[in-house]
Amino acid sequence: MSVRVQTADFDIGAECRRLAASNDRAGALATFTGLVRADDGLVSLTLEHYPGMTEREIARHVENAMARWPLLDVSVVHRVGRLVPGDRIVFVGTVASHRKHAFDAAMFLMDYLKTHAPFWKLEERRQGSTWVEATVADQHAAKSWTRGR
Amino acid sequence: MKLLYFAWVRQKVGRSEECFPLPEGVSTIGGLVGALCARGDGYAEAFGDPARLRAARNHEHVDFAAPVSEDDEVAFFPPVTGG
């Protein structure tokens, strides 16, 4: 299990190769990569976080995922700092023997990352900067995992 | 106690962290919000609408009914928007 919060970019291929080689019983590797969209003239996206709580909170959800599904390995990388459109923000990779577990765990982790991990996004546009607001859709997605999705 | 502020809470308060003695009579996160709001200026702007705020105590999400003590590290922030 690997959880990293960092300013540096990550290499999706390198993360995948490491995860795919992690266990003889691996039959499925599911990944998600979040990117900075070039919405409405976005100049930059700056991610603030709570050092100390961020890593611990993500690790807690990874442990929950590993308890809920028979996962063989998990990797989460989340960037912080100033990013620009097209940049990679977050990577979630899950390894299991079978694809349903890998897919479901990756979705679960993203839904919990979006609603529990202490990051805040500041969008910079030519007219000024605004804080992104949390969405009801994300809250519902996270809650749905407690109803046995 | 140590208080930390993030995102627009940090911007309105004007600082990212501070040491703050737990006020007498305050025993919950909600009570702490009220005490901070009463400091006026940027604090009133940041803490005036508790529905817009979330909190963590010692690196764990808590609701406003949670107890607080002098040794705690408490952070206030808007709902998170990572991922």
Side-chain angles (χ1 to χ4, degrees):
Chain A
M1 166 179 127
S2 164
V3 173
R4 290 168 10 231
V5 177
Q6 60 191 49
T7 53
D9 196 3
F10 52 83
D11 181 327
I12 302 172
E15 298 295 326
C16 286
R17 280 188 295 277
R18 193 180 59 74
L19 284 165
S22 66
N23 194 297
D24 286 347
R25 287 179 290 135
L29 162 60
T31 76
F32 172 81
T33 303
L35 310 165
V36 180
R37 286 191 306 270
D39 274 350
D40 299 324
L42 184 78
V43 172
S44 73
L45 183 70
T46 300
L47 282 123
E48 185 173 332
H49 81 115
Y50 184 171
M53 181 175 175
T54 320
E55 299 87 342
R56 180 174 150 171
E57 187 71 9
I58 298 175
R60 194 160 70 79
H61 293 304
V62 170
E63 282 159 21
N64 288 348
M66 295 189 87
R68 185 162 172 166
W69 290 280
L71 302 176
L72 301 171
D73 203 356
V74 177
S75 177
V76 177
V77 185
H78 202 303
R79 294 178 68 191
V80 291
R82 187 175 187 273
L83 304 176
V84 296
D87 277 353
R88 287 169 282 274
I89 307 171
V90 60
F91 173 87
V92 169
T94 57
V95 180
S97 293
H98 304 288
R99 70 185 187 285
K100 180 152 171 56
H101 298 143
F103 273 132
D104 284 353
M107 182 79 100
F108 168 91
L109 282 169
M110 273 313 301
D111 286 345
Y112 269 88
L113 264 178
K114 296 215 57 102
T115 52
H116 290 73
F119 297 96
W120 299 274
K121 288 173 176 164
L122 180 68
E123 290 181 334
E124 178 197 352
R125 291 187 167 78
R126 216 157 33 88
Q127 321 85 285
S129 294
T130 53
W131 293 97
V132 172
E133 298 210 349
T135 69
V136 169
D138 283 338
Q139 306 291 327
H140 285 159
K143 283 203 174 103
S144 73
W145 290 102
T146 64
R147 294 196 297 273
R149 185 158 134 191
Chain B
M1 60 190 330
K2 184 175 175 188
L3 300 182
L4 294 110
Y5 310 116
F6 293 94
W8 55 252
V9 179
R10 174 179 54 73
Q11 287 179 330
K12 290 180 195 289
V13 166
R15 53 182 54 176
S16 57
E17 63 179 77
E18 63 180 326
C19 285
F20 185 65
L22 184 64
E24 215 170 297
V26 170
S27 60
T28 64
I29 296 281
L32 186 53
V33 169
L36 289 168
C37 189
R39 295 175 92 187
D41 297 326
Y43 289 92
E45 266 197 69
F47 293 96
D49 185 0
R52 297 184 68 205
L53 297 171
R54 301 292 181 269
R57 184 187 71 210
N58 302 329
H59 294 179
E60 297 199 356
H61 288 289
V62 290
D63 62 31
F64 284 14
V68 281
S69 66
E70 183 63 49
D71 301 324
D72 287 336
E73 172 174 305
V74 178
F76 291 105
F77 41 81
V80 303
T81 56

